[in-house]
Coordinates of all heavy atoms in Angstrom, one line a residue:
M1 N 114.8 116.8 83.4 CA 113.8 116.2 84.2 C 114.4 115.0 85.0 O 115.2 114.3 84.5 CB 112.7 115.7 83.3 CG 111.4 115.3 84.0 SD 110.2 114.7 82.8 CE 110.1 113.0 83.4
D2 N 114.0 114.9 86.2 CA 114.5 113.8 87.0 C 113.7 112.5 86.7 O 112.6 112.4 86.9 CB 114.2 114.2 88.5 CG 114.8 113.1 89.4 OD1 115.4 112.1 88.9 OD2 114.7 113.3 90.6
K3 N 114.5 111.6 86.1 CA 113.9 110.3 85.7 C 113.3 109.6 86.9 O 112.5 108.7 86.7 CB 114.9 109.5 85.0 CG 115.1 109.9 83.5 CD 116.0 108.9 82.8 CE 116.3 109.4 81.4 NZ 117.5 108.8 80.9
K4 N 113.8 109.8 88.1 CA 113.4 109.1 89.2 C 112.0 109.5 89.7 O 111.4 108.9 90.5 CB 114.4 109.2 90.4 CG 115.6 108.4 90.2 CD 116.5 108.6 91.3 CE 117.8 107.8 91.1 NZ 118.8 108.1 92.1
N5 N 111.6 110.7 89.2 CA 110.3 111.2 89.7 C 109.2 111.1 88.5 O 109.0 112.1 87.8 CB 110.4 112.7 90.1 CG 109.2 113.1 91.0 OD1 108.3 112.3 91.2 ND2 109.2 114.3 91.4
I6 N 108.7 109.9 88.4 CA 107.7 109.7 87.3 C 106.3 109.5 87.9 O 106.2 109.1 89.1 CB 108.1 108.5 86.5 CG1 108.3 107.2 87.4 CG2 109.3 108.8 85.6 CD1 108.4 105.9 86.6
T7 N 105.3 109.8 87.1 CA 104.0 109.7 87.6 C 103.3 108.7 86.6 O 103.4 108.8 85.4 CB 103.2 111.0 87.5 OG1 103.8 111.9 88.4 CG2 101.7 110.8 88.0
K8 N 102.7 107.7 87.2 CA 102.0 106.6 86.4 C 100.5 106.6 86.7 O 100.1 106.8 87.9 CB 102.6 105.3 86.6 CG 104.1 105.2 86.2 CD 104.2 104.5 84.9 CE 105.6 104.2 84.6 NZ 105.8 103.5 83.4
H9 N 99.7 106.3 85.7 CA 98.3 106.2 85.9 C 97.8 104.8 85.5 O 98.2 104.3 84.5 CB 97.5 107.2 85.0 CG 97.7 108.6 85.4 ND1 98.9 109.3 85.1 CD2 96.9 109.5 86.1 CE1 98.8 110.5 85.6 NE2 97.6 110.7 86.2
Y10 N 97.0 104.2 86.4 CA 96.4 102.9 86.1 C 94.9 102.9 86.3 O 94.5 103.2 87.4 CB 97.0 101.8 87.1 CG 98.6 101.9 87.1 CD1 99.2 102.6 88.0 CD2 99.3 101.1 86.2 CE1 100.6 102.6 88.1 CE2 100.7 101.1 86.2 CZ 101.3 101.9 87.2 OH 102.7 101.9 87.2
S11 N 94.2 102.7 85.2 CA 92.7 102.9 85.3 C 92.0 101.6 85.1 O 92.4 100.8 84.3 CB 92.3 103.9 84.3 OG 90.9 104.1 84.3
N12 N 90.9 101.4 85.8 CA 90.0 100.3 85.5 C 88.7 100.8 84.9 O 87.7 100.0 84.9 CB 89.7 99.5 86.8 CG 88.9 100.2 87.9 OD1 88.5 101.4 87.6 ND2 88.7 99.6 89.0
G13 N 88.6 102.0 84.5 CA 87.4 102.6 83.9 C 86.5 103.3 84.9 O 85.7 104.1 84.5
E14 N 86.7 103.0 86.2 CA 85.9 103.6 87.2 C 86.8 104.5 88.1 O 86.4 105.6 88.4 CB 85.4 102.4 88.1 CG 84.3 102.8 89.0 CD 83.7 101.5 89.7 OE1 84.4 100.9 90.5 OE2 82.6 101.1 89.4
I15 N 87.9 104.0 88.4 CA 88.9 104.8 89.2 C 90.3 104.7 88.5 O 90.5 103.8 87.8 CB 89.1 104.3 90.7 CG1 89.5 102.8 90.7 CG2 87.8 104.5 91.5 CD1 90.0 102.3 92.0
T16 N 91.1 105.7 88.8 CA 92.5 105.7 88.3 C 93.4 105.8 89.5 O 93.3 106.7 90.3 CB 92.7 106.9 87.3 OG1 91.8 106.8 86.2 CG2 94.1 106.9 86.8
V17 N 94.3 104.8 89.6 CA 95.3 104.9 90.6 C 96.5 105.7 90.0 O 97.0 105.4 88.9 CB 95.8 103.5 91.0 CG1 97.0 103.5 91.9 CG2 94.7 102.7 91.6
V18 N 96.9 106.7 90.8 CA 98.0 107.5 90.4 C 99.2 107.2 91.3 O 99.0 107.2 92.5 CB 97.7 109.1 90.5 CG1 98.9 109.9 90.0 CG2 96.4 109.4 89.7
W19 N 100.4 107.0 90.7 CA 101.5 106.7 91.5 C 102.7 107.6 91.2 O 103.0 107.7 90.0 CB 102.0 105.2 91.3 CG 103.2 104.8 92.1 CD1 103.3 104.7 93.5 CD2 104.5 104.5 91.6 NE1 104.5 104.4 93.8 CE2 105.3 104.2 92.7 CE3 105.0 104.4 90.3 CZ2 106.7 103.8 92.6 CZ3 106.4 104.0 90.2 CH2 107.2 103.8 91.3
Q20 N 103.2 108.3 92.2 CA 104.3 109.2 92.0 C 105.5 108.6 92.6 O 105.7 108.6 93.8 CB 104.0 110.6 92.6 CG 102.8 111.3 92.0 CD 102.3 112.5 92.8 OE1 101.5 112.4 93.6 NE2 102.9 113.6 92.5
S21 N 106.4 108.2 91.7 CA 107.6 107.5 92.2 C 108.5 108.3 93.2 O 109.0 107.7 94.1 CB 108.4 107.0 91.0 OG 109.1 108.1 90.4
G22 N 108.5 109.6 92.9 CA 109.4 110.4 93.8 C 108.9 110.5 95.2 O 109.7 110.8 96.1
K23 N 107.6 110.3 95.5 CA 107.1 110.3 96.8 C 107.1 109.0 97.5 O 107.0 108.9 98.8 CB 105.6 110.8 96.8 CG 105.5 112.3 96.5 CD 104.0 112.7 96.7 CE 103.8 114.1 96.3 NZ 102.3 114.4 96.3
C24 N 107.3 107.9 96.8 CA 107.2 106.6 97.4 C 108.4 106.3 98.3 O 109.5 106.5 97.9 CB 107.2 105.5 96.2 SG 107.0 103.9 96.8
I25 N 108.1 105.9 99.5 CA 109.1 105.6 100.5 C 109.4 104.1 100.6 O 110.0 103.6 101.5 CB 108.8 106.2 101.9 CG1 107.5 105.8 102.4 CG2 108.9 107.8 101.8 CD1 107.2 106.1 103.8
H26 N 108.7 103.3 99.7 CA 108.9 101.9 99.6 C 108.6 101.2 101.0 O 109.3 100.3 101.4 CB 110.3 101.5 99.1 CG 110.6 102.2 97.8 ND1 110.0 101.8 96.6 CD2 111.3 103.3 97.5 CE1 110.4 102.6 95.6 NE2 111.1 103.5 96.1
S27 N 107.6 101.7 101.6 CA 107.2 101.0 102.9 C 106.5 99.7 102.6 O 106.4 98.9 103.5 CB 106.2 101.9 103.6 OG 105.0 102.0 102.8
A28 N 106.1 99.5 101.4 CA 105.4 98.3 100.9 C 104.1 98.0 101.6 O 103.6 96.9 101.5 CB 106.4 97.1 101.1
N29 N 103.5 99.0 102.2 CA 102.1 98.8 102.7 C 101.2 98.4 101.7 O 100.3 97.5 101.9 CB 101.6 100.2 103.2 CG 102.1 100.6 104.6 OD1 103.2 100.1 104.9 ND2 101.4 101.4 105.3
C30 N 101.3 99.0 100.5 CA 100.3 98.6 99.4 C 100.5 97.1 99.0 O 99.6 96.4 98.8 CB 100.5 99.5 98.2 SG 102.2 99.6 97.7
V31 N 101.8 96.7 98.9 CA 102.1 95.4 98.5 C 101.6 94.3 99.5 O 101.1 93.3 99.2 CB 103.6 95.2 98.3 CG1 104.0 93.8 97.9 CG2 104.1 96.2 97.3
K32 N 101.7 94.7 100.8 CA 101.2 93.8 101.9 C 99.7 93.8 101.9 O 99.1 92.7 102.2 CB 101.8 94.2 103.2 CG 103.2 93.9 103.4 CD 103.7 94.3 104.8 CE 105.2 94.6 104.7 NZ 105.6 95.6 105.6
N33 N 99.1 94.9 101.8 CA 97.6 95.0 101.9 C 96.9 94.4 100.7 O 95.8 93.7 100.9 CB 97.2 96.5 101.9 CG 97.2 97.0 103.3 OD1 96.5 96.5 104.2 ND2 98.0 98.1 103.5
L34 N 97.4 94.5 99.5 CA 96.6 94.1 98.3 C 97.7 93.5 97.3 O 97.9 94.1 96.2 CB 95.8 95.2 97.8 CG 94.5 94.9 97.0 CD1 93.6 94.1 97.9 CD2 93.8 96.2 96.6
P35 N 98.3 92.4 97.6 CA 99.4 91.9 96.8 C 98.9 91.6 95.3 O 99.7 91.6 94.4 CB 99.9 90.7 97.5 CG 98.8 90.3 98.5 CD 98.1 91.6 98.8
Q36 N 97.6 91.2 95.2 CA 97.2 90.9 93.8 C 97.1 92.1 92.9 O 97.1 92.0 91.7 CB 95.8 90.1 93.8 CG 94.6 91.0 94.2 CD 94.4 90.9 95.7 OE1 95.3 91.0 96.5 NE2 93.1 90.9 96.1
V37 N 97.1 93.3 93.5 CA 97.1 94.5 92.7 C 98.5 95.2 92.7 O 99.0 95.6 91.6 CB 96.1 95.5 93.2 CG1 96.2 96.9 92.5 CG2 94.6 95.0 93.1
F38 N 99.1 95.3 93.9 CA 100.4 95.9 94.0 C 101.5 94.9 94.1 O 101.7 94.3 95.1 CB 100.4 96.9 95.2 CG 99.4 98.0 95.1 CD1 98.2 97.8 95.7 CD2 99.6 99.1 94.3 CE1 97.2 98.8 95.6 CE2 98.6 100.1 94.2 CZ 97.4 99.9 94.9
N39 N 102.1 94.6 93.0 CA 103.1 93.5 92.9 C 104.3 94.0 92.2 O 104.3 94.1 91.0 CB 102.5 92.3 92.2 CG 103.5 91.1 92.2 OD1 104.7 91.2 92.5 ND2 102.9 89.9 91.9
T40 N 105.4 94.3 92.9 CA 106.6 94.9 92.3 C 107.3 93.9 91.4 O 108.2 94.3 90.7 CB 107.6 95.4 93.4 OG1 107.8 94.3 94.4 CG2 107.0 96.6 94.2
K41 N 107.0 92.6 91.5 CA 107.6 91.6 90.6 C 107.0 91.6 89.2 O 107.5 91.0 88.3 CB 107.5 90.2 91.2 CG 108.3 90.1 92.5 CD 108.4 88.7 92.9 CE 109.2 88.6 94.2 NZ 108.4 88.8 95.4
E42 N 105.8 92.3 89.1 CA 105.1 92.3 87.8 C 105.4 93.6 87.1 O 105.8 94.6 87.7 CB 103.6 92.2 88.0 CG 103.1 91.0 88.7 CD 102.8 89.8 87.8 OE1 102.4 90.1 86.6 OE2 102.9 88.7 88.2
S43 N 105.2 93.6 85.8 CA 105.3 94.9 85.0 C 104.1 95.0 84.1 O 103.9 94.1 83.3 CB 106.6 94.9 84.2 OG 106.7 96.1 83.6
P44 N 103.2 96.0 84.2 CA 103.3 97.1 85.2 C 103.0 96.5 86.6 O 102.4 95.5 86.8 CB 102.2 98.0 84.8 CG 101.2 97.1 84.1 CD 102.0 96.1 83.4
W45 N 103.6 97.2 87.6 CA 103.5 96.7 89.0 C 102.1 96.9 89.6 O 101.9 96.3 90.7 CB 104.6 97.3 89.9 CG 104.4 98.7 90.4 CD1 104.5 99.8 89.7 CD2 104.0 99.0 91.7 NE1 104.3 100.9 90.5 CE2 103.9 100.4 91.7 CE3 103.7 98.3 92.9 CZ2 103.6 101.1 92.8 CZ3 103.3 99.0 94.0 CH2 103.3 100.4 94.0
V46 N 101.3 97.7 89.0 CA 99.9 97.9 89.5 C 98.9 97.3 88.6 O 98.9 97.7 87.4 CB 99.6 99.4 89.7 CG1 98.2 99.6 90.2 CG2 100.6 100.1 90.6
N47 N 98.1 96.3 89.1 CA 97.1 95.7 88.2 C 95.7 95.9 88.8 O 95.3 95.1 89.6 CB 97.4 94.2 88.1 CG 98.6 93.9 87.2 OD1 98.5 94.0 86.0 ND2 99.8 93.6 87.8
V48 N 95.1 97.0 88.3 CA 93.8 97.4 88.9 C 92.7 96.4 88.6 O 91.6 96.5 89.2 CB 93.4 98.8 88.5 CG1 94.3 99.9 89.2 CG2 93.5 99.0 87.0
A49 N 92.9 95.5 87.7 CA 91.8 94.6 87.3 C 91.7 93.5 88.4 O 90.7 92.7 88.4 CB 92.1 93.9 86.0
N50 N 92.6 93.4 89.3 CA 92.7 92.2 90.2 C 92.0 92.4 91.5 O 92.1 91.5 92.4 CB 94.1 91.8 90.4 CG 94.8 91.2 89.2 OD1 94.1 90.9 88.2 ND2 96.1 91.1 89.2
A51 N 91.3 93.5 91.7 CA 90.5 93.7 92.9 C 89.4 94.7 92.6 O 89.4 95.4 91.6 CB 91.4 94.2 94.1
S52 N 88.5 94.9 93.6 CA 87.4 95.8 93.4 C 87.9 97.2 93.6 O 88.9 97.5 94.3 CB 86.2 95.5 94.4 OG 86.7 95.8 95.7
S53 N 87.2 98.2 93.1 CA 87.6 99.6 93.3 C 87.6 99.9 94.8 O 88.5 100.7 95.2 CB 86.6 100.5 92.6 OG 86.7 100.3 91.2
E54 N 86.7 99.4 95.6 CA 86.6 99.7 97.0 C 87.9 99.2 97.7 O 88.5 99.9 98.5 CB 85.4 99.0 97.6 CG 84.1 99.6 97.3 CD 83.6 99.4 95.8 OE1 84.0 98.3 95.3 OE2 82.9 100.2 95.3
E55 N 88.3 98.0 97.3 CA 89.5 97.4 97.9 C 90.8 98.3 97.6 O 91.6 98.5 98.4 CB 89.7 96.0 97.5 CG 88.8 95.0 98.0 CD 89.0 93.6 97.4 OE1 88.8 93.5 96.2 OE2 89.3 92.7 98.1
I56 N 90.8 98.7 96.3 CA 91.9 99.5 95.9 C 92.0 100.8 96.6 O 93.0 101.3 97.1 CB 91.9 99.6 94.3 CG1 92.1 98.3 93.6 CG2 93.0 100.6 93.9 CD1 91.8 98.3 92.2
I57 N 90.8 101.5 96.7 CA 90.7 102.8 97.4 C 91.2 102.6 98.8 O 92.0 103.4 99.3 CB 89.3 103.3 97.3 CG1 89.0 103.7 95.8 CG2 89.2 104.6 98.2 CD1 87.5 104.0 95.6
A58 N 90.7 101.6 99.5 CA 91.1 101.4 100.9 C 92.6 101.2 101.1 O 93.2 101.8 102.0 CB 90.4 100.1 101.5
T59 N 93.2 100.5 100.1 CA 94.7 100.3 100.2 C 95.4 101.6 99.9 O 96.4 102.0 100.6 CB 95.1 99.2 99.3 OG1 94.5 98.0 99.8 CG2 96.6 99.0 99.2
V60 N 95.0 102.3 98.9 CA 95.6 103.6 98.5 C 95.6 104.6 99.7 O 96.5 105.3 99.9 CB 94.9 104.2 97.2 CG1 95.3 105.6 97.0 CG2 95.3 103.3 96.0
N61 N 94.5 104.6 100.4 CA 94.3 105.5 101.5 C 95.3 105.2 102.7 O 95.5 106.0 103.5 CB 92.9 105.4 102.1 CG 91.9 106.2 101.2 OD1 92.3 107.0 100.3 ND2 90.6 105.9 101.3
K62 N 95.9 104.0 102.7 CA 96.8 103.6 103.7 C 98.3 103.9 103.3 O 99.2 103.7 104.1 CB 96.7 102.1 104.0 CG 95.5 101.8 104.8 CD 95.4 100.3 105.0 CE 94.0 99.9 105.5 NZ 93.7 98.5 105.2
C63 N 98.5 104.4 102.1 CA 99.8 104.7 101.7 C 100.4 105.9 102.5 O 99.8 107.0 102.5 CB 99.8 105.1 100.2 SG 101.4 105.7 99.6
P64 N 101.5 105.7 103.2 CA 101.9 106.7 104.2 C 102.6 107.9 103.6 O 102.7 109.0 104.2 CB 102.9 105.9 105.1 CG 103.4 104.8 104.1 CD 102.3 104.5 103.3
S65 N 103.0 107.8 102.3 CA 103.8 108.9 101.8 C 103.0 109.8 100.8 O 103.4 110.9 100.5 CB 104.9 108.3 100.9 OG 104.4 107.6 99.8
G66 N 101.8 109.4 100.5 CA 101.0 110.2 99.5 C 101.4 109.8 98.0 O 101.0 110.5 97.1
A67 N 102.3 108.8 97.9 CA 102.7 108.5 96.5 C 101.6 107.9 95.7 O 101.5 108.1 94.5 CB 103.8 107.4 96.6
L68 N 100.6 107.2 96.4 CA 99.5 106.7 95.7 C 98.3 107.6 95.9 O 98.1 108.1 97.1 CB 99.1 105.3 96.2 CG 100.0 104.2 95.9 CD1 99.6 102.9 96.6 CD2 100.0 103.9 94.4
S69 N 97.5 107.9 94.9 CA 96.3 108.6 95.1 C 95.3 108.1 94.0 O 95.6 107.3 93.2 CB 96.5 110.1 94.9 OG 97.1 110.4 93.6
I70 N 94.0 108.5 94.2 CA 92.9 108.0 93.3 C 92.2 109.2 92.6 O 92.0 110.2 93.2 CB 91.9 107.3 94.2 CG1 92.4 106.0 94.9 CG2 90.6 107.0 93.4 CD1 92.5 104.8 94.0
I71 N 92.0 109.0 91.4 CA 91.1 109.9 90.6 C 89.8 109.1 90.3 O 89.9 108.0 89.7 CB 91.7 110.4 89.3 CG1 93.0 111.1 89.6 CG2 90.7 111.3 88.6 CD1 93.8 111.4 88.3
K72 N 88.7 109.6 90.8 CA 87.4 108.9 90.5 C 86.7 109.5 89.3 O 86.7 110.7 89.1 CB 86.5 109.0 91.7 CG 86.9 108.1 92.9 CD 85.8 108.2 94.0 CE 86.4 107.6 95.3 NZ 85.7 108.0 96.4
K73 N 86.1 108.6 88.5 CA 85.4 109.0 87.4 C 84.1 109.7 87.8 O 83.5 109.2 88.8 CB 85.1 107.8 86.5 CG 85.0 108.2 85.0 CD 84.8 106.9 84.2 CE 84.3 107.3 82.8 NZ 83.9 106.2 82.0
E74 N 83.8 110.8 87.2 CA 82.6 111.5 87.6 C 81.3 110.7 87.3 O 81.2 110.0 86.3 CB 82.5 112.8 86.8 CG 83.7 113.8 87.1 CD 83.6 114.4 88.5 OE1 82.5 114.9 88.8 OE2 84.6 114.3 89.2
Ligands
SF4_1 S1 102.3 102.2 100.3 FE1 102.9 104.1 99.2 S2 104.9 104.5 99.9 FE2 104.5 102.4 100.4 S3 105.4 101.2 98.7 FE3 103.2 101.6 98.3 S4 103.2 103.5 97.0 FE4 105.2 103.4 98.0

């Protein structure tokens, strides 16, 4: 298995942010748009508790590579 291609899930109970490292082109759009959630200096680097689900969805939709996606709770 390629260790560089990992998938991480970050849930706030309402939505789950999915990040696929292998697709990320490190454009940093997410970090610029919503730095309180997407902060590469933190571990984990995605903190879904720090913004509303709407704000997170809007930022995920701007990810140019498809590395970020959202799973909504039914
Ligand atoms: S916006 Fe998407 S491609 Fe850019 S750094 Fe964030 S996850 Fe990676």
Side-chain angles (χ1 to χ4, degrees):
M1 197 181 112
D2 184 358
K3 278 186 188 159
K4 284 181 181 167
N5 197 1
I6 52 167
T7 301
K8 296 260 190 177
H9 292 78
Y10 307 93
S11 178
N12 67 1
E14 195 174 69
I15 57 165
T16 300
V17 174
V18 182
W19 180 65
Q20 294 169 270
S21 69
K23 287 187 182 174
C24 181
I25 55 170
H26 305 286
S27 65
N29 281 26
C30 52
V31 178
K32 284 181 209 148
N33 274 302
L34 211 53
Q36 69 270 40
V37 172
F38 300 97
N39 184 345
T40 52
K41 295 190 180 83
E42 300 269 334
S43 184
W45 79 282
V46 180
N47 285 287
V48 287
N50 291 347
S52 69
S53 295
E54 289 72 27
E55 289 175 296
I56 294 168
I57 291 166
T59 295
V60 165
N61 286 342
K62 288 179 192 156
C63 174
S65 66
L68 287 173
S69 57
I70 294 279
I71 300 168
K72 284 185 193 162
K73 210 175 166 189
E74 298 287 310

